[in-house]
Amino acid sequence: MGEESAMGTLPRYPLIFNPKARSQRGQRTLRFLMERANRFALYATNHADEARELAARFAAAGEPIVVAAGGDGTLNGVVKGLAGSSTILGVLPAGTMNVFARELGIPWDNLTRAFEILEKGLVREVDLFQANGAPFIQMAGVGFDAMVIEETTWESKKMLGPLAYLLAAVKVLGERPPKMEVICSDGRREEGVAVLAGNGSLYGGQFRLFRNADNRDSKLDVLVFKEAGYRLVLDSLRGLAQGGMDLADSTVYFQAEEFKVVVDREVPVEVDGDLLGRSREIRFAESSCRLRVIAPETPTVSWFAEAVKALLQWPRRPAEFQAPRVG
């Protein structure tokens, strides 16, 4: 799990990207890549499955490095294609959230600085986990958040943006929650209505949902939600404001190397924000091979992340002025 140098100077290696030519971000990304055409062989894709197929083809051909330029969907497709190979992943974050880039400390809002990370070529190994055989690098969800993704249509996202997820969440909150049991390989058992598993600490961008997570410790951080409905949302917000989801009263937070979730009915499952399908039993385990990725030696902290962190922690009363908890 050490670090190494990919190579002294970058060759012209495959770069997989989703142009999204109609968006300003897509146009800026395309111009950036074309200005560096001597560094990359560009391969455009329309969706994550094409990205996966391309990445798998390059890995099978023995390409040393494959770069993903785009959002989390494009990145996840490339990761699935590289899973099990020794091909190194390069990341040029060009999406909206860029969660994995943030997790690794890659400048997620500046392509020029992210490209400088690629040129330095420092390689890290990170854990790669699977949910029912589907690889994921950041997180996975069973129940509530996957239900929201399932309810959110492409048309609504195009029209409403992030509001589409909020409207879908309101609908899901009114439904009868599933009953599920988490069974760990060490014998631990927990019951709840929704489960989130984090390989990294971040969820949905800036939210540090799994504060003890380390994507090089061969463990998943697991959150089991005990309550459904609006209690789930309120406790989640309270936990985030207090600095950790494990501080919410209706959640259980622990680490596990391997576990399964058994549900009383088929429920949606998502990995890295993509809907995997529906299932009544979901098995989580580490992949046989870790993922090799180019990342900075020292993570880059954005001013926005620090501002959000400060906002969530303010106002905080000094310990000597806090009233003691009763009971």
Side-chain angles (χ1 to χ4, degrees), residues 1-2 75-76 79-80 82-85 89 100 103-104 123-131 134-140 197-201 212-221 255-258 272 284-293 295:
M1 296 192 296
L75 176 63
N76 297 340
V79 167
K80 289 175 182 176
L82 299 183
S85 75
L89 170 69
F100 185 59
E103 187 75 44
L104 292 182
V123 179
R124 292 171 53 184
E125 290 186 346
V126 299
D127 299 334
L128 188 63
F129 279 86
Q130 295 181 342
F136 65 94
I137 49 174
Q138 190 65 28
M139 59 84 60
N199 186 33
S201 62
N212 297 325
D214 179 352
N215 59 16
R216 295 195 284 179
D217 65 359
S218 296
K219 295 178 182 178
L220 285 173
D221 284 43
Q255 293 182 318
E257 296 178 354
E258 187 174 341
D272 288 334
F284 292 87
E286 189 175 9
S287 299
S288 58
C289 296
R290 287 184 169 88
L291 180 70
R292 304 173 72 209
V293 56

Side-chain angles (χ1 to χ4, degrees), residues 188-207:
R188 177 169 185 159
R189 291 174 176 257
E190 298 287 350
E191 294 183 350
V193 297
V195 173
L196 292 177
N199 186 33
S201 62
L202 297 178
Y203 176 90
Q206 297 284 0
F207 296 106

Side-chain angles (χ1 to χ4, degrees), residues 58-77:
F58 293 136
E63 287 286 351
I65 300 174
V66 171
V67 178
D72 292 314
T74 301
L75 176 63
N76 297 340

Side-chain angles (χ1 to χ4, degrees), residues 72 96-103 105-109 138 200-211 240-241 243-244 300-312:
D72 292 314
T96 303
M97 294 299 182
N98 305 308
V99 182
F100 185 59
R102 295 174 192 248
E103 187 75 44
I106 297 171
W108 56 271
D109 55 355
Q138 190 65 28
S201 62
L202 297 178
Y203 176 90
Q206 297 284 0
F207 296 106
R208 197 164 295 279
L209 204 66
F210 309 95
R211 62 174 178 169
L240 288 172
T300 302
V301 179
S302 75
W303 65 268
F304 183 71
E306 291 301 302
V308 170
K309 180 179 179 181
L311 182 62
L312 288 175

Side-chain angles (χ1 to χ4, degrees), residues 17-281:
F17 75 108
N18 187 331
K20 296 183 179 177
R22 294 182 181 179
S23 70
Q24 291 184 351
R25 185 189 301 271
Q27 292 174 1
R28 288 196 301 268
T29 301
L30 187 56
R31 285 197 300 268
F32 179 88
L33 297 177
M34 293 303 295
E35 290 170 359
R36 292 158 180 81
N38 64 318
R39 292 293 200 182
F40 307 117
L42 304 182
Y43 294 85
T45 65
N46 292 315
H47 50 76
D49 284 342
E50 286 185 356
R52 175 184 55 78
E53 292 170 1
L54 277 171
R57 193 176 84 198
F58 293 136
E63 287 286 351
I65 300 174
V66 171
V67 178
D72 292 314
T74 301
L75 176 63
N76 297 340
V78 173
V79 167
K80 289 175 182 176
L82 299 183
S85 75
S86 61
T87 298
I88 298 168
L89 170 69
V91 181
L92 281 176
T96 303
M97 294 299 182
N98 305 308
V99 182
F100 185 59
R102 295 174 192 248
E103 187 75 44
L104 292 182
I106 297 171
W108 56 271
D109 55 355
N110 189 311
L111 285 174
T112 300
R113 290 170 60 205
F115 179 74
E116 292 171 359
I117 299 298
L118 277 180
E119 289 214 288
K120 290 180 180 178
L122 184 69
V123 179
R124 292 171 53 184
E125 290 186 346
V126 299
D127 299 334
L128 188 63
F129 279 86
Q130 295 181 342
N132 282 357
F136 65 94
I137 49 174
Q138 190 65 28
M139 59 84 60
V142 181
F144 179 74
D145 81 314
M147 294 166 71
V148 172
I149 292 173
E150 186 181 56
E151 286 288 338
T152 308
T153 64
W154 181 85
E155 290 80 10
S156 65
K157 286 190 290 184
K158 184 178 180 181
M159 292 177 58
L160 303 173
L163 182 59
Y165 289 102
L166 180 60
L167 295 177
V170 171
K171 178 180 179 181
V172 170
L173 287 172
E175 299 178 0
R176 179 175 67 88
K179 294 180 181 179
M180 55 186 70
E181 184 178 20
V182 180
I183 305 170
C184 301
S185 57
D186 62 2
R188 177 169 185 159
R189 291 174 176 257
E190 298 287 350
E191 294 183 350
V193 297
V195 173
L196 292 177
N199 186 33
S201 62
L202 297 178
Y203 176 90
Q206 297 284 0
F207 296 106
R208 197 164 295 279
L209 204 66
F210 309 95
R211 62 174 178 169
N212 297 325
D214 179 352
N215 59 16
R216 295 195 284 179
D217 65 359
S218 296
K219 295 178 182 178
L220 285 173
D221 284 43
V222 186
L223 272 169
V224 181
F225 294 83
K226 298 285 190 178
E227 301 286 343
Y230 294 97
R231 175 68 184 276
L232 183 152
V233 175
L234 292 175
D235 275 1
S236 297
L237 293 174
R238 187 179 298 114
L240 288 172
Q242 291 174 344
M245 279 301 303
D246 52 314
L247 301 178
D249 295 335
S250 62
T251 61
V252 174
Y253 183 18
F254 59 92
Q255 293 182 318
E257 296 178 354
E258 187 174 341
F259 65 95
K260 66 178 179 179
V261 181
V262 181
V263 195
D264 65 345
R265 64 178 188 266
E266 285 193 343
V267 294
V269 181
E270 60 92 0
V271 292
D272 288 334
D274 286 340
L275 196 64
L276 183 62
R278 284 178 163 260
S279 181
R280 293 189 61 176
E281 183 171 311

